Amino acid sequence: SFDAATLRGSHKVKKLVQAGVPHEARAQFYYVLSGAAKIEQTGEYARLAGQEALPIYDVIERDVARCYPDHIMFADADGAGQRQLRRILRAYAQYNPDIGYCQGMGRLVGLFLISGLDEERAFWVLAATIRNFIPRYYESDLAGLREHTAVFEVLLHERNPRLASHLAEQGCDALMYATPWFMTVFTLSLPWPAALRVWDWFMYRGTKVLFRVALAITDLASSYLLDACPTIAELLGFLLHIPPALVDADSIIAAAIRVKISERHVERLVQRASASR
């Protein structure tokens, strides 16, 4: 019954988020904090789902089974999980033809369904999350993603110039390894309990959490990357396949909390990155 502003203004909720939202509350929590209720239109999801097929449906079909191949909810090609995932992605392609569909979106939808959102609400949470937190990530030129990886690179130089220089000297551009981090909001890169904790915080605090978690990963991995990864092959091999033990839920959240960056600084960097494109 609480609205997003009330939840975000509560110190008790902040503590709850940092500890992990209880599974039974997660669906409602995501629905409210994403802003889905503000854009949801009664009957619209059913209308979108009933539209004539688009060419992009073929691409969606190829990806549906690959979104969560190891999760029981999506294991069966004829099961409810894959059918819901397919319908939501198709409906979103109808809802936002400028984006249509992009790889990575299925990971978000799957997380919403696993978290207990029903099919229609999962659709609206997807639409609200893209609109409010990761705009232009899934456009054809990946403009939002490119801007955010550029911002992350600046923040990394500020926080850990030695590691940033090592990566740059080896030609290891942030777009090469941070793309799956940001495009799937860490659902491909972190152990599942850690990914859920990151999502709780992401829904609560918004886009800035992406940068704090990315910097937390580099904080935790810094010594290994500097000492044991002399070439781009080793660097990418590690950053694209982070050892789960390094980024367990408690470690990644604690490291991210230690990262202090202001909203204003991030906004300035985003504006600068946008202007340079």
Side-chain angles (χ1 to χ4, degrees):
S1 61
F2 291 111
D3 62 19
T6 302
L7 290 174
R8 290 194 172 100
S10 165
H11 182 72
K12 185 180 291 186
V13 172
K14 179 181 178 181
K15 292 294 184 185
L16 174 70
V17 168
Q18 291 180 350
V21 174
H23 177 74
E24 60 272 15
R26 192 167 268 127
Q28 182 67 12
F29 189 81
Y30 287 6
Y31 179 74
V32 171
L33 287 175
S34 67
K38 293 182 178 180
I39 64 171
E40 183 175 3
Q41 301 172 49
T42 303
E44 180 66 1
Y45 177 67
R47 188 191 71 79
L48 292 166
Q51 295 296 298
E52 288 188 16
L54 298 172
I56 197 68
Y57 284 13
D58 292 337
V59 181
I60 292 171
E61 192 60 35
R62 288 199 300 269
D63 286 348
V64 163
R66 295 186 288 197
C67 288
Y68 283 90
D70 300 324
H71 197 285
I72 191 169
M73 183 181 283
F74 307 103
D76 185 351
D78 297 318
Q82 285 199 29
R83 291 201 304 270
Q84 290 176 331
L85 194 58
R86 180 183 297 111
R87 285 194 295 263
I88 291 168
L89 292 172
R90 287 177 174 181
Y92 189 82
Q94 298 280 357
Y95 174 78
N96 191 344
D98 290 339
I99 291 177
Y101 168 74
C102 181
Q103 276 191 332
M105 291 166 56
R107 293 290 298 187
L108 275 60
V109 174
L111 177 136
F112 300 149
L113 293 171
I114 292 166
S115 297
L117 283 155
D118 66 40
E119 183 178 330
E120 185 169 355
R121 282 196 164 192
F123 167 80
W124 290 112
V125 172
L126 174 71
T129 299
I130 293 173
R131 175 178 175 173
N132 295 329
F133 299 142
I134 46 175
R136 298 182 302 125
Y137 263 40
Y138 301 118
E139 292 180 0
S140 59
D141 62 354
L142 306 178
L145 174 74
R146 291 177 181 276
E147 288 170 13
H148 279 180
T149 53
V151 168
F152 165 68
E153 215 152 34
V154 173
L155 293 170
L156 181 60
H157 272 279
E158 293 173 351
R159 184 168 182 81
N160 192 337
R162 187 176 168 217
L163 176 59
S165 296
H166 177 52
L167 291 165
E169 287 164 6
Q170 299 308 316
C172 192
D173 185 277
L175 203 60
M176 296 176 179
Y177 59 88
T179 291
W181 296 2
F182 289 175
M183 283 280 276
T184 71
V185 191
F186 299 101
T187 59
L188 267 178
S189 310
L190 296 177
W192 190 245
L196 285 175
R197 293 273 296 279
V198 165
W199 264 90
D200 294 346
W201 201 21
F202 174 62
M203 284 292 187
Y204 180 67
R205 291 300 303 270
T207 307
K208 189 174 77 168
V209 169
L210 296 173
F211 303 115
R212 294 180 75 174
V213 173
L215 291 169
I217 290 172
T218 53
D219 280 356
L220 293 170
S222 182
S223 59
Y224 186 85
L225 293 170
L226 288 167
D227 297 338
C229 299
T231 72
I232 189 171
E234 285 99 352
L235 289 167
L236 287 177
F238 189 90
L239 290 166
L240 292 172
H241 306 282
I242 306 163
L246 183 72
V247 286
D248 66 90
D250 289 339
S251 297
I252 195 68
I253 294 299
I257 288 171
R258 291 193 293 268
V259 175
K260 306 298 182 186
I261 47 176
S262 72
E263 299 275 2
R264 183 176 297 179
H265 184 45
V266 169
E267 287 169 8
R268 280 198 300 264
L269 292 177
V270 169
Q271 289 170 1
R272 188 189 308 167
S274 179
S276 68
R277 284 187 49 76

